[in-house]
mmCIF file of all heavy atoms in Angstrom:
data_model
loop_
_atom_site.group_PDB
_atom_site.id
_atom_site.type_symbol
_atom_site.label_atom_id
_atom_site.label_comp_id
_atom_site.label_asym_id
_atom_site.label_seq_id
_atom_site.Cartn_x
_atom_site.Cartn_y
_atom_site.Cartn_z
ATOM 1 N N THR Q 202 109.970 111.605 89.535
ATOM 2 C CA THR Q 202 111.328 111.398 90.038
ATOM 3 C C THR Q 202 111.375 111.508 91.554
ATOM 4 O O THR Q 202 110.443 112.039 92.195
ATOM 5 C CB THR Q 202 112.295 112.451 89.466
ATOM 6 O OG1 THR Q 202 111.900 113.751 89.952
ATOM 7 C CG2 THR Q 202 112.280 112.443 87.936
ATOM 8 N N ALA Q 203 112.477 111.030 92.102
ATOM 9 C CA ALA Q 203 112.680 111.150 93.549
ATOM 10 C C ALA Q 203 112.743 112.605 93.970
ATOM 11 O O ALA Q 203 112.281 112.982 95.053
ATOM 12 C CB ALA Q 203 113.965 110.424 93.945
ATOM 13 N N GLU Q 204 113.293 113.434 93.122
ATOM 14 C CA GLU Q 204 113.420 114.859 93.445
ATOM 15 C C GLU Q 204 112.057 115.506 93.664
ATOM 16 O O GLU Q 204 111.864 116.267 94.620
ATOM 17 C CB GLU Q 204 114.160 115.578 92.319
ATOM 18 C CG GLU Q 204 114.389 117.059 92.589
ATOM 19 C CD GLU Q 204 115.167 117.742 91.482
ATOM 20 O OE1 GLU Q 204 115.306 117.154 90.396
ATOM 21 O OE2 GLU Q 204 115.647 118.870 91.725
ATOM 22 N N VAL Q 205 111.106 115.185 92.825
ATOM 23 C CA VAL Q 205 109.767 115.772 92.944
ATOM 24 C C VAL Q 205 109.080 115.262 94.204
ATOM 25 O O VAL Q 205 108.469 116.032 94.950
ATOM 26 C CB VAL Q 205 108.915 115.454 91.701
ATOM 27 C CG1 VAL Q 205 107.513 116.032 91.856
ATOM 28 C CG2 VAL Q 205 109.573 116.012 90.449
ATOM 29 N N MET Q 206 109.190 113.951 94.459
ATOM 30 C CA MET Q 206 108.536 113.393 95.647
ATOM 31 C C MET Q 206 109.196 113.884 96.928
ATOM 32 O O MET Q 206 108.519 114.110 97.944
ATOM 33 C CB MET Q 206 108.536 111.868 95.601
ATOM 34 C CG MET Q 206 107.802 111.214 96.771
ATOM 35 S SD MET Q 206 107.506 109.431 96.554
ATOM 36 C CE MET Q 206 106.091 109.462 95.438
ATOM 37 N N ALA Q 207 110.500 114.074 96.889
ATOM 38 C CA ALA Q 207 111.218 114.549 98.076
ATOM 39 C C ALA Q 207 110.764 115.935 98.495
ATOM 40 O O ALA Q 207 110.855 116.313 99.668
ATOM 41 C CB ALA Q 207 112.719 114.546 97.805
ATOM 42 N N ALA Q 208 110.262 116.703 97.556
ATOM 43 C CA ALA Q 208 109.800 118.059 97.841
ATOM 44 C C ALA Q 208 108.376 118.083 98.354
ATOM 45 O O ALA Q 208 107.864 119.134 98.750
ATOM 46 C CB ALA Q 208 109.906 118.920 96.584
ATOM 47 N N SER Q 209 107.716 116.922 98.363
ATOM 48 C CA SER Q 209 106.338 116.834 98.832
ATOM 49 C C SER Q 209 106.327 116.506 100.320
ATOM 50 O O SER Q 209 107.347 116.610 101.006
ATOM 51 C CB SER Q 209 105.596 115.763 98.017
ATOM 52 O OG SER Q 209 104.224 115.753 98.348
ATOM 53 N N ASN Q 210 105.176 116.114 100.831
ATOM 54 C CA ASN Q 210 105.091 115.707 102.230
ATOM 55 C C ASN Q 210 104.095 114.560 102.363
ATOM 56 O O ASN Q 210 103.312 114.286 101.447
ATOM 57 C CB ASN Q 210 104.690 116.881 103.130
ATOM 58 C CG ASN Q 210 103.306 117.418 102.811
ATOM 59 O OD1 ASN Q 210 102.292 116.776 103.077
ATOM 60 N ND2 ASN Q 210 103.256 118.614 102.217
ATOM 61 N N GLU Q 211 104.119 113.890 103.498
ATOM 62 C CA GLU Q 211 103.335 112.667 103.656
ATOM 63 C C GLU Q 211 101.824 112.914 103.608
ATOM 64 O O GLU Q 211 101.067 112.035 103.175
ATOM 65 C CB GLU Q 211 103.710 111.961 104.957
ATOM 66 C CG GLU Q 211 103.517 112.778 106.215
ATOM 67 C CD GLU Q 211 104.180 112.120 107.409
ATOM 68 O OE1 GLU Q 211 105.416 112.206 107.513
ATOM 69 O OE2 GLU Q 211 103.455 111.517 108.220
ATOM 70 N N ASP Q 212 101.359 114.082 104.020
ATOM 71 C CA ASP Q 212 99.927 114.372 103.961
ATOM 72 C C ASP Q 212 99.435 114.436 102.517
ATOM 73 O O ASP Q 212 98.335 113.969 102.201
ATOM 74 C CB ASP Q 212 99.616 115.696 104.667
ATOM 75 C CG ASP Q 212 99.817 115.613 106.171
ATOM 76 O OD1 ASP Q 212 99.679 114.501 106.721
ATOM 77 O OD2 ASP Q 212 100.112 116.650 106.786
ATOM 78 N N VAL Q 213 100.245 114.991 101.646
ATOM 79 C CA VAL Q 213 99.881 115.077 100.232
ATOM 80 C C VAL Q 213 99.924 113.690 99.596
ATOM 81 O O VAL Q 213 99.007 113.289 98.874
ATOM 82 C CB VAL Q 213 100.829 116.036 99.479
ATOM 83 C CG1 VAL Q 213 100.539 115.989 97.985
ATOM 84 C CG2 VAL Q 213 100.672 117.457 100.012
ATOM 85 N N ILE Q 214 100.993 112.942 99.861
ATOM 86 C CA ILE Q 214 101.136 111.594 99.291
ATOM 87 C C ILE Q 214 100.008 110.684 99.775
ATOM 88 O O ILE Q 214 99.502 109.843 99.021
ATOM 89 C CB ILE Q 214 102.508 110.999 99.652
ATOM 90 C CG1 ILE Q 214 103.642 111.858 99.099
ATOM 91 C CG2 ILE Q 214 102.624 109.564 99.138
ATOM 92 C CD1 ILE Q 214 103.641 111.994 97.594
ATOM 93 N N TYR Q 215 99.604 110.869 101.010
ATOM 94 C CA TYR Q 215 98.529 110.044 101.574
ATOM 95 C C TYR Q 215 97.272 110.089 100.704
ATOM 96 O O TYR Q 215 96.596 109.071 100.511
ATOM 97 C CB TYR Q 215 98.196 110.533 102.986
ATOM 98 C CG TYR Q 215 96.961 109.880 103.573
ATOM 99 C CD1 TYR Q 215 97.039 108.670 104.247
ATOM 100 C CD2 TYR Q 215 95.698 110.474 103.439
ATOM 101 C CE1 TYR Q 215 95.902 108.058 104.772
ATOM 102 C CE2 TYR Q 215 94.562 109.884 103.954
ATOM 103 C CZ TYR Q 215 94.668 108.676 104.617
ATOM 104 O OH TYR Q 215 93.537 108.081 105.127
ATOM 105 N N GLU Q 216 96.943 111.240 100.170
ATOM 106 C CA GLU Q 216 95.730 111.390 99.369
ATOM 107 C C GLU Q 216 95.769 110.536 98.102
ATOM 108 O O GLU Q 216 94.736 110.131 97.591
ATOM 109 C CB GLU Q 216 95.511 112.861 99.010
ATOM 110 C CG GLU Q 216 95.188 113.750 100.199
ATOM 111 C CD GLU Q 216 93.925 113.290 100.937
ATOM 112 O OE1 GLU Q 216 92.945 112.921 100.244
ATOM 113 O OE2 GLU Q 216 93.927 113.296 102.178
ATOM 114 N N TYR Q 217 96.959 110.266 97.614
ATOM 115 C CA TYR Q 217 97.110 109.439 96.411
ATOM 116 C C TYR Q 217 97.021 107.946 96.730
ATOM 117 O O TYR Q 217 96.623 107.156 95.868
ATOM 118 C CB TYR Q 217 98.458 109.695 95.739
ATOM 119 C CG TYR Q 217 98.589 111.035 95.080
ATOM 120 C CD1 TYR Q 217 99.020 112.148 95.787
ATOM 121 C CD2 TYR Q 217 98.302 111.197 93.720
ATOM 122 C CE1 TYR Q 217 99.156 113.383 95.185
ATOM 123 C CE2 TYR Q 217 98.431 112.435 93.103
ATOM 124 C CZ TYR Q 217 98.863 113.524 93.845
ATOM 125 O OH TYR Q 217 98.999 114.750 93.243
ATOM 126 N N ILE Q 218 97.395 107.565 97.952
ATOM 127 C CA ILE Q 218 97.541 106.147 98.269
ATOM 128 C C ILE Q 218 96.604 105.663 99.376
ATOM 129 O O ILE Q 218 96.765 104.556 99.874
ATOM 130 C CB ILE Q 218 99.005 105.832 98.666
ATOM 131 C CG1 ILE Q 218 99.352 106.479 100.016
ATOM 132 C CG2 ILE Q 218 99.975 106.300 97.589
ATOM 133 C CD1 ILE Q 218 100.662 106.006 100.607
ATOM 134 N N LYS Q 219 95.625 106.465 99.730
ATOM 135 C CA LYS Q 219 94.804 106.138 100.903
ATOM 136 C C LYS Q 219 93.976 104.865 100.763
ATOM 137 O O LYS Q 219 93.470 104.350 101.766
ATOM 138 C CB LYS Q 219 93.898 107.322 101.249
ATOM 139 C CG LYS Q 219 92.955 107.763 100.142
ATOM 140 C CD LYS Q 219 92.212 109.024 100.562
ATOM 141 C CE LYS Q 219 91.315 109.547 99.443
ATOM 142 N NZ LYS Q 219 90.674 110.828 99.831
ATOM 143 N N SER Q 220 93.844 104.328 99.553
ATOM 144 C CA SER Q 220 93.065 103.102 99.387
ATOM 145 C C SER Q 220 93.903 101.834 99.558
ATOM 146 O O SER Q 220 93.368 100.724 99.510
ATOM 147 C CB SER Q 220 92.388 103.073 98.013
ATOM 148 O OG SER Q 220 93.333 103.025 96.973
ATOM 149 N N VAL Q 221 95.220 101.964 99.778
ATOM 150 C CA VAL Q 221 96.042 100.781 100.023
ATOM 151 C C VAL Q 221 96.096 100.512 101.519
ATOM 152 O O VAL Q 221 95.655 101.341 102.329
ATOM 153 C CB VAL Q 221 97.482 100.954 99.474
ATOM 154 C CG1 VAL Q 221 97.458 101.257 97.992
ATOM 155 C CG2 VAL Q 221 98.247 102.017 100.242
ATOM 156 N N SER Q 222 96.642 99.383 101.891
ATOM 157 C CA SER Q 222 96.786 99.069 103.310
ATOM 158 C C SER Q 222 97.853 99.961 103.945
ATOM 159 O O SER Q 222 98.834 100.328 103.296
ATOM 160 C CB SER Q 222 97.197 97.604 103.476
ATOM 161 O OG SER Q 222 98.401 97.352 102.767
ATOM 162 N N TYR Q 223 97.625 100.339 105.194
ATOM 163 C CA TYR Q 223 98.560 101.151 105.978
ATOM 164 C C TYR Q 223 99.039 102.406 105.234
ATOM 165 O O TYR Q 223 100.256 102.655 105.111
ATOM 166 C CB TYR Q 223 99.767 100.312 106.406
ATOM 167 C CG TYR Q 223 99.368 99.031 107.093
ATOM 168 C CD1 TYR Q 223 99.481 97.802 106.442
ATOM 169 C CD2 TYR Q 223 98.853 99.041 108.392
ATOM 170 C CE1 TYR Q 223 99.093 96.620 107.061
ATOM 171 C CE2 TYR Q 223 98.458 97.863 109.028
ATOM 172 C CZ TYR Q 223 98.578 96.657 108.348
ATOM 173 O OH TYR Q 223 98.188 95.494 108.964
ATOM 174 N N PRO Q 224 98.130 103.223 104.743
ATOM 175 C CA PRO Q 224 98.519 104.384 103.931
ATOM 176 C C PRO Q 224 99.327 105.429 104.691
ATOM 177 O O PRO Q 224 100.187 106.094 104.098
ATOM 178 C CB PRO Q 224 97.178 104.945 103.458
ATOM 179 C CG PRO Q 224 96.194 104.504 104.491
ATOM 180 C CD PRO Q 224 96.665 103.138 104.901
ATOM 181 N N ASN Q 225 99.066 105.596 105.974
ATOM 182 C CA ASN Q 225 99.823 106.596 106.738
ATOM 183 C C ASN Q 225 101.304 106.254 106.796
ATOM 184 O O ASN Q 225 102.164 107.101 106.522
ATOM 185 C CB ASN Q 225 99.259 106.712 108.163
ATOM 186 C CG ASN Q 225 97.918 107.409 108.204
ATOM 187 O OD1 ASN Q 225 97.798 108.570 107.836
ATOM 188 N ND2 ASN Q 225 96.887 106.694 108.633
ATOM 189 N N ASN Q 226 101.596 104.999 107.168
ATOM 190 C CA ASN Q 226 102.990 104.563 107.242
ATOM 191 C C ASN Q 226 103.653 104.595 105.869
ATOM 192 O O ASN Q 226 104.810 105.006 105.733
ATOM 193 C CB ASN Q 226 103.085 103.147 107.827
ATOM 194 C CG ASN Q 226 102.903 103.136 109.329
ATOM 195 O OD1 ASN Q 226 103.086 104.147 109.993
ATOM 196 N ND2 ASN Q 226 102.530 101.990 109.874
ATOM 197 N N LYS Q 227 102.924 104.150 104.859
ATOM 198 C CA LYS Q 227 103.511 104.091 103.520
ATOM 199 C C LYS Q 227 103.768 105.489 102.948
ATOM 200 O O LYS Q 227 104.757 105.698 102.241
ATOM 201 C CB LYS Q 227 102.621 103.263 102.594
ATOM 202 C CG LYS Q 227 102.648 101.775 102.935
ATOM 203 C CD LYS Q 227 101.731 100.936 102.058
ATOM 204 C CE LYS Q 227 101.798 99.481 102.456
ATOM 205 N NZ LYS Q 227 100.880 98.620 101.659
ATOM 206 N N ALA Q 228 102.896 106.433 103.260
ATOM 207 C CA ALA Q 228 103.126 107.812 102.810
ATOM 208 C C ALA Q 228 104.404 108.363 103.441
ATOM 209 O O ALA Q 228 105.228 109.006 102.771
ATOM 210 C CB ALA Q 228 101.934 108.685 103.176
ATOM 211 N N LYS Q 229 104.584 108.064 104.721
ATOM 212 C CA LYS Q 229 105.785 108.507 105.423
ATOM 213 C C LYS Q 229 107.034 107.851 104.822
ATOM 214 O O LYS Q 229 108.061 108.497 104.616
ATOM 215 C CB LYS Q 229 105.668 108.145 106.906
ATOM 216 C CG LYS Q 229 106.809 108.656 107.780
ATOM 217 C CD LYS Q 229 106.652 108.177 109.217
ATOM 218 C CE LYS Q 229 105.367 108.680 109.828
ATOM 219 N NZ LYS Q 229 105.236 108.275 111.261
ATOM 220 N N HIS Q 230 106.917 106.554 104.530
ATOM 221 C CA HIS Q 230 108.052 105.828 103.955
ATOM 222 C C HIS Q 230 108.416 106.352 102.566
ATOM 223 O O HIS Q 230 109.599 106.492 102.244
ATOM 224 C CB HIS Q 230 107.720 104.330 103.864
ATOM 225 C CG HIS Q 230 107.690 103.649 105.179
ATOM 226 N ND1 HIS Q 230 106.945 102.512 105.420
ATOM 227 C CD2 HIS Q 230 108.304 103.939 106.365
ATOM 228 C CE1 HIS Q 230 107.109 102.132 106.674
ATOM 229 N NE2 HIS Q 230 107.919 102.980 107.259
ATOM 230 N N LEU Q 231 107.411 106.629 101.752
ATOM 231 C CA LEU Q 231 107.692 107.089 100.387
ATOM 232 C C LEU Q 231 108.421 108.424 100.371
ATOM 233 O O LEU Q 231 109.385 108.608 99.625
ATOM 234 C CB LEU Q 231 106.384 107.190 99.580
ATOM 235 C CG LEU Q 231 105.697 105.863 99.225
ATOM 236 C CD1 LEU Q 231 104.447 106.124 98.403
ATOM 237 C CD2 LEU Q 231 106.644 104.933 98.486
ATOM 238 N N VAL Q 232 107.972 109.335 101.187
ATOM 239 C CA VAL Q 232 108.635 110.638 101.254
ATOM 240 C C VAL Q 232 110.046 110.494 101.814
ATOM 241 O O VAL Q 232 111.009 111.061 101.282
ATOM 242 C CB VAL Q 232 107.817 111.631 102.104
ATOM 243 C CG1 VAL Q 232 108.594 112.940 102.280
ATOM 244 C CG2 VAL Q 232 106.471 111.918 101.452
#
C-alpha cells in the first residue's frame, strides 16, 4: 500500500529497483 511505502525512504526503495533505468530518480519519485 501507499501507507507502507510512504513510511520508507528512497535509499531502501533503491535497493529493490536498482536494475531499472534511472533508479535514483525513480526511488525518489516512488516515495
Side-chain angles (χ1 to χ4, degrees):
T202 65
E204 182 178 14
V205 178
M206 183 168 282
S209 186
N210 63 71
E211 59 192 77
D212 291 333
V213 173
I214 299 299
Y215 171 87
E216 293 301 318
Y217 290 87
I218 69 169
K219 59 186 177 184
S220 64
V221 303
S222 57
Y223 308 106
N225 288 298
N226 283 339
K227 290 178 180 178
K229 185 183 299 183
H230 288 154
L231 291 181
V232 174

